[in-house]
Amino acid sequence: FPVTNIDGTVSYTITYQPATATEIASMPVSVADGSFQDLAGNSGKGSSAALAIDTKAPTPPTISDIAVDNIINAAEKATGVTLTGSAEIGSTVKLSIGGNTRVATNDKGVWSYKLTEADYTEMSGDGSKSIKVEAIDLAGNTSTQTSKLFTIDTVAPDLAIGQIADPDSAVYSNGFTVTTGAQVKVSVTDIHGHVVVLNPEELATKFSVSLAGDSYSAKQGAFDGSETIDIEATLSDIAGNTSVAHYQIPRSYRDWE
């Protein structure tokens, strides 16, 4: 349709509606010489141009595994977790985290975003979480969203070391108990202050260990009554959170000889 400009010239607008998902790198548009005339009958000089057409949405971005196993533990949260994935080169990558929208860095088709404390707050602590990612290309087309589930688990497992009381006197110990699954290190200090850390063979020689590995009873004659026994237990959960506990059985509270 014609539009009369202030200086008296006339401009024409042509609307072209490309089909959905059309990509044309260079579409020539031209007006031939002499194809139009002014009011005096003078023929106009033509011109040409090239247009890029892009109505195709970008490929949905990918999301790589989060913190390797899709579980963020306390140590990983403390050191920082960076979300990554792939997206169309040059596109703007937007993430939906909790109720917030974040913009990732897109470096030649590899996007990344480091979670902030505000993001963790928005995700409301530990538990099962999800993020959604979409890409917006240079033409303004938006991809479908990609989502990923992951877990935040920053709570260390419960761990305890307890006494196995002597059946004849609760004042004395016959050994110790520990939470099932814990790794145990036992150190023996003699009356002269010499410390020996028991290796697995020595531990089995001096203690009867339950099938579940949660009870260690001293064998008859394994100790002479002058030693101090220090126990260190370590327990890690599936997320990689670790608890450490210590327990000491002093000389005066032992009846193992």
Side-chain angles (χ1 to χ4, degrees):
F1 56 90
V3 175
T4 302
N5 301 318
I6 295 177
D7 61 1
T9 61
V10 178
S11 299
Y12 287 85
T13 299
I14 299 175
T15 300
Y16 169 70
Q17 184 62 53
T20 302
T22 297
E23 278 189 303
I24 302 174
S26 180
M27 185 181 75
V29 178
S30 63
V31 177
D33 290 342
S35 60
F36 60 96
Q37 295 178 331
D38 61 16
L39 295 177
N42 301 304
S43 295
K45 180 174 178 58
S47 183
S48 63
L51 302 177
I53 306 296
D54 183 359
T55 62
K56 183 179 180 180
T59 300
T62 66
I63 306 173
S64 302
D65 286 341
I66 298 170
V68 180
D69 56 2
N70 294 315
I71 303 175
I72 299 175
N73 63 30
E76 291 165 336
K77 179 182 177 182
T79 57
V81 174
T82 299
L83 310 179
T84 62
S86 62
E88 182 176 300
I89 294 175
S91 64
T92 298
V93 179
K94 292 186 176 182
L95 295 83
S96 176
I97 302 175
N100 292 332
T101 299
R102 307 296 193 203
V103 178
T105 299
N106 185 356
D107 182 12
K108 300 177 183 178
V110 177
W111 66 264
S112 62
Y113 175 79
K114 187 173 183 178
L115 290 172
T116 66
E117 194 60 40
D119 295 326
Y120 287 110
T121 300
E122 186 65 28
M123 289 186 285
S124 303
D126 285 10
S128 179
K129 312 295 177 183
S130 69
I131 60 168
K132 296 179 180 179
V133 183
E134 65 183 18
I136 303 171
D137 65 18
L138 296 175
N141 303 301
T142 302
S143 73
T144 56
Q145 288 186 327
T146 300
S147 62
K148 193 174 190 68
L149 295 173
F150 65 101
T151 300
I152 299 176
D153 181 354
T154 59
V155 179
D158 292 331
L159 175 60
I161 305 174
Q163 175 195 26
I164 298 178
D166 185 282
D168 298 323
S169 175
V171 173
Y172 297 105
S173 297
N174 267 3
F176 61 93
T177 60
V178 66
T179 303
T180 302
Q183 299 296 311
V184 172
K185 182 176 77 172
V186 176
S187 302
V188 180
T189 304
D190 66 19
I191 197 169
H192 302 293
H194 300 137
V195 179
V196 175
V197 178
L198 302 183
N199 61 37
E201 291 76 16
E202 292 169 329
L203 194 62
T205 298
K206 292 183 177 295
F207 291 91
S208 294
V209 184
S210 65
L211 187 62
D214 59 355
S215 177
Y216 291 74
S217 299
K219 293 181 179 180
Q220 188 70 28
F223 301 95
D224 64 17
S226 65
E227 305 92 337
T228 297
I229 312 299
D230 290 284
I231 302 108
E232 179 183 280
T234 304
L235 181 63
S236 297
D237 61 19
I238 191 172
N241 301 299
T242 300
S243 294
V244 179
H246 296 88
Y247 188 78
Q248 185 181 80
I249 304 175
R251 297 182 185 91
S252 59
Y253 289 93
R254 197 179 63 258
D255 188 21
W256 294 350
E257 61 273 22

